Amino acid sequence: MAGDGVGRSGVEILADTNALADAAAELFADSAERAIAASGRFVVALSGGSTPRRAYERLARAPFATRIPWTAVHVIWGDERCVAPTDADSNYRMAFEALLAHVPLPPSNVHRMHGEDDPTRAAASYETELRTLLHTPAGSPSTEPGQRIDLALLGLGDNGHTASIFPESDATRETVRWAMAESVDASPSYRITLTAPLLNAAAEVLFLVSGKTKTEMLTRVLDGPRRPGELPAQLIAPTNGRLRWLVDVAAAARLQRSS
């Protein structure tokens, strides 16, 4: 994949949002191929947002639409707004329109968060579904192949949140639950989110960050002091996996360049 060079391990700077989307789609396909070769399936956690949407639209077209063995793909979500799946704010709806409606993914392999239900019950139900999917009926998330998320796609909010883990929220301190509901400082306010313990058990976590509005926050998260309560994106540090950042030039404008 072509980039402008990386100043630190795990960070790749791309020319613009189109190049970022192309790179993300290629990484998605590579990760799928590795996971399927290792365990027979690929479990991916999708993110909402305009930057991931561009990557999903790439994946819905050739060559990815035929290169990826979609019948072996299981799709979950990193977070969801507590709205109906037909609502314009639904992360599920965005992914469906951009990708899922265009590839031969079995409906039983789509594991959406039920944002239209009571948030607390929906989060508990989602954890139960994920424990079944990942063959871990109790206890901490596993980092074994076939029992973990193979790829988690994440974004970075202007306030340092990722998924729906918001600054100083209960989710920043969660160590047991895999999914939880929270009322956050955003609209709509109620969200369901995966928690850091589950995300950190993933084989690979990929942040997608673009645009000059993210410049200051990206610099604080990557180059500033560690304050995960204030900057929840800093909570994400895979315990037995790889953390990668794909960022465009605009977002990376103030990053320190060090060898």
Side-chain angles (χ1 to χ4, degrees):
M1 136 190 2
D4 292 338
V6 179
R8 61 170 58 73
S9 175
V11 179
E12 183 162 2
I13 301 172
L14 287 304
D16 53 30
T17 55
N18 288 327
L20 193 157
D22 290 340
E26 186 65 39
L27 279 172
F28 184 109
D30 288 346
S31 182
E33 290 167 354
R34 289 195 302 272
I36 292 167
S39 67
R41 66 177 189 172
F42 174 56
V43 178
V44 58
L46 300 184
S47 172
S50 59
T51 302
R53 182 180 187 118
R54 292 186 184 94
Y56 302 159
E57 289 169 346
R58 302 293 197 279
L59 290 164
R61 303 194 302 263
F64 302 107
T66 54
R67 171 181 163 187
I68 295 171
W70 291 99
T71 55
V73 175
H74 284 262
V75 173
I76 67 175
W77 272 261
D79 71 317
E80 182 59 277
R81 300 174 175 96
C82 289
V83 296
T86 55
D87 193 283
D89 284 330
S90 168
N91 287 340
Y92 165 81
R93 175 179 168 174
M94 184 275 280
F96 181 83
E97 292 177 347
L99 173 60
L100 306 183
H102 309 288
V103 295
L105 186 71
S108 60
N109 289 13
V110 177
H111 308 270
R112 75 174 182 89
M113 293 175 169
H114 287 257
E116 70 275 26
D117 295 343
D118 172 80
T120 300
R121 289 199 297 269
S125 177
Y126 202 61
E127 176 166 339
T128 298
E129 183 169 356
L130 293 182
R131 285 185 176 277
T132 299
L133 176 66
L134 299 178
H135 311 298
T136 309
S140 300
S142 175
T143 60
E144 294 298 318
Q147 292 183 263
R148 62 180 173 176
I149 297 169
D150 296 298
L151 176 65
L153 301 176
L154 294 175
L156 176 67
D158 294 343
N159 62 355
H161 84 267
T162 193
S164 279
I165 307 174
F166 275 66
E168 309 304 340
S169 66
D170 289 343
T172 64
R173 298 178 289 275
E174 183 60 43
T175 60
V176 176
R177 284 177 289 181
W178 290 18
M180 62 185 294
E182 288 237 89
S183 178
V184 301
D185 185 18
S187 180
S189 61
Y190 273 96
R191 308 287 178 95
I192 303 167
T193 187
L194 299 187
T195 61
L198 182 61
L199 292 169
N200 284 334
E204 187 166 18
V205 176
L206 177 61
F207 276 89
L208 306 177
V209 186
S210 65
K212 62 183 180 181
T213 61
K214 302 296 176 70
T215 302
E216 179 182 354
M217 186 51 64
L218 181 65
T219 305
R220 288 180 63 192
V221 168
L222 292 181
D223 290 336
R226 179 171 167 76
R227 295 172 179 161
E230 179 183 337
L231 303 172
Q234 292 182 337
L235 288 167
I236 307 305
T239 53
N240 189 27
R242 184 175 185 182
L243 176 62
R244 303 182 69 161
W245 294 76
L246 291 184
V247 303
D248 69 3
V249 168
R254 297 182 192 169
L255 288 183
Q256 297 174 7
R257 304 297 202 275
S258 59
S259 57

